Amino acid sequence: MKIDNNQLLRFITSGNVDDGKSTLIGRLLYDSKSIYEDQLQNVKRISKRKGNDEIDLTLFTDGLRDEWEQGITIDVAYQYFTTPKRKFIIADTPGHVQYTRNMFTGASTANLAIILVDVRYGVTEQTKRHSFIASLLKIPNAIVCINKMDLVNFSKDVYDTIVNEFKIFSSKLSINDIRFIPMSALLGDNVVDKSSRMEWYKGDPLLHTLEIIPINNDINEASVRFPIQTILRPQNEVDQDYRRYVGRLASGVLRKGDEITVLPSGLTSKVKTIYKYDKDMQEVFAPMSISIALEDNIDISRGDMIVKSNNKPNIVQDIEVMLCWLHTDAAKPRAKYFIKQTTNEQKAIIKEIIYKIDIKTLEKDYECEGLKMNDICKVKLKITKPLMVDLYKENRITGSLILIDETTNETVAAAMVV
């Protein structure tokens, strides 16, 4: 199989707090020789000071832990490394239940989810929660790493039992490709190198799997969606007609001369010029940051969206979404929240909770009356002014949004349009 050396794979690591995520990341970086020499020497020195004969792999991510102890707010810790076959960005999401919101942040741009399972405890509620979030966010690939196999004498029977349990649960999810790897991150079995202690496992170790697993470009290339971030206006008296509309192309391919519609006004024009930084472009594609000028002088503001005239999103004020409540405080009945979708900000209320998902069984609870932290529900939102949205399964940018408490300015929920 031919691999694009420049192809970037973004993946998250998820699992319970003690399932071994830090050890796995440390082992992955250490055995693939992705650690800078000065960092390696520092970790060796600290490990020795702590009385460890072996290098403490978890120290490679201890910067994050130190920050927690200092009370610094962190969403997700990112690690970058590369091999001759592929480039990688790891989003290390904390395992505590109260940090489920962090997984949303890391998973929103991920191509793949690594779901760690401690072989001693099998498929837990947190395993199910993370797997469901990966499915909800349309992450197409998952690798279930069944860790700490050394603690069950590398037993194939124990491994098979957990694989079967996860397969039964995941049959209700919409993850296209799920793979299983037995491993001991602490000892290095099946992380970078294939284990000689589990010869019954015929698959590849984790790193090789990450290097060869096919990943698709999940950017919608068919539908032009250009949310306006800001407008460049004339800086002098010479060129009073100067208007350029700036933002990041969320999806699609835009060319000079394309007939466009500005939403929500519905006014139409054609693309006159396109610039990427100061370079004049004939065509641009997502996710480029660009500025454009139109042939007609149209009143356009931040939050408006430029689209192809023959392919428009839905313009809605009542909308149904799958929502994960992220805040420690429960949702306030009939309270107004700021809603942020692309560059558009409006106010909204939660009009109705249609049902809540039981994470343990994936069954729907139609009697749910409130929203509290980590609840995942289908709800109806009522918005004060129109939003231009697509279904999340068709466009991960224009199909997603967040709710913000208008008094504290804290993000309280993340949602996907369904």
Side-chain angles (χ1 to χ4, degrees), residues 61-74 76-77:
T61 56
D62 258 6
L64 177 62
R65 208 167 282 131
D66 288 344
E67 289 173 348
W68 286 345
E69 290 172 359
Q70 294 170 35
I72 299 172
T73 301
I74 296 176
V76 181

Side-chain angles (χ1 to χ4, degrees), residues 20 28 84 112 118 124 128 147 166 214 244 249 254 297 315 337-338 349 362 387 411:
L28 195 59
L112 181 146
D118 186 324
T124 64
K128 294 178 179 178
N147 193 26
F166 190 90
R244 302 197 65 81
L249 194 57
L254 191 63
N297 188 7
I315 303 176
Y337 296 94
F338 286 120
I349 61 170
L362 298 187
L387 287 183
T411 301

Side-chain angles (χ1 to χ4, degrees), residues 77-95:
Y78 292 94
Q79 297 273 357
Y80 172 85
F81 74 105
T82 184
T83 70
K85 294 182 178 178
R86 189 171 268 177
K87 300 173 182 175
F88 303 94
I89 294 178
I90 310 171
D92 180 20
T93 58

Side-chain angles (χ1 to χ4, degrees), residues 193-232:
D193 301 311
K194 191 167 177 61
S195 173
S196 61
R197 291 178 280 211
M198 289 180 278
E199 293 183 349
W200 46 265
Y201 171 69
K202 303 303 181 186
D204 294 316
L206 176 61
L207 181 60
H208 187 61
T209 304
L210 293 173
E211 288 178 327
I212 65 170
I213 196 166
I215 54 173
N216 298 321
N217 182 1
D218 58 4
I219 294 177
N220 183 322
E221 298 177 347
S223 305
V224 170
R225 302 288 185 261
F226 183 42
I228 303 303
Q229 187 173 21
T230 190
I231 295 93
L232 299 180

Side-chain angles (χ1 to χ4, degrees), residues 25 42 48 120 145 191 201 204 220 379 385:
I25 294 172
N42 188 43
K48 193 172 183 179
R120 297 170 298 172
C145 295
V191 179
Y201 171 69
D204 294 316
N220 183 322
V379 305
K385 293 183 179 178

Side-chain angles (χ1 to χ4, degrees), residues 1 58 97 113 144 160 208 221-222 243-244 247 251 270 282 299 310 326 343 384-385 404 406 417:
M1 179 182 298
T58 64
V97 172
V144 182
D160 286 343
H208 187 61
E221 298 177 347
R243 291 283 190 283
R244 302 197 65 81
S251 61
K270 287 186 177 180
Q282 290 296 318
D299 182 20
N310 61 355
L326 307 176
T343 59
T384 53
K385 293 183 179 178
I404 300 168
E406 66 174 356
V417 180

Side-chain angles (χ1 to χ4, degrees), residues 284-326:
V284 288
F285 50 86
M288 286 182 175
S289 294
I290 59 171
S291 66
I292 71 171
L294 302 179
E295 291 187 354
D296 303 283
N297 188 7
I298 297 176
D299 182 20
I300 299 177
S301 305
R302 174 182 168 86
D304 289 353
M305 184 181 290
I306 290 177
V307 304
K308 286 275 193 71
S309 296
N310 61 355
N311 184 337
K312 299 176 184 175
N314 298 312
I315 303 176
V316 296
Q317 283 189 256
D318 292 281
I319 185 174
E320 291 186 358
V321 299
M322 288 299 299
L323 179 148
C324 179
W325 192 257
L326 307 176

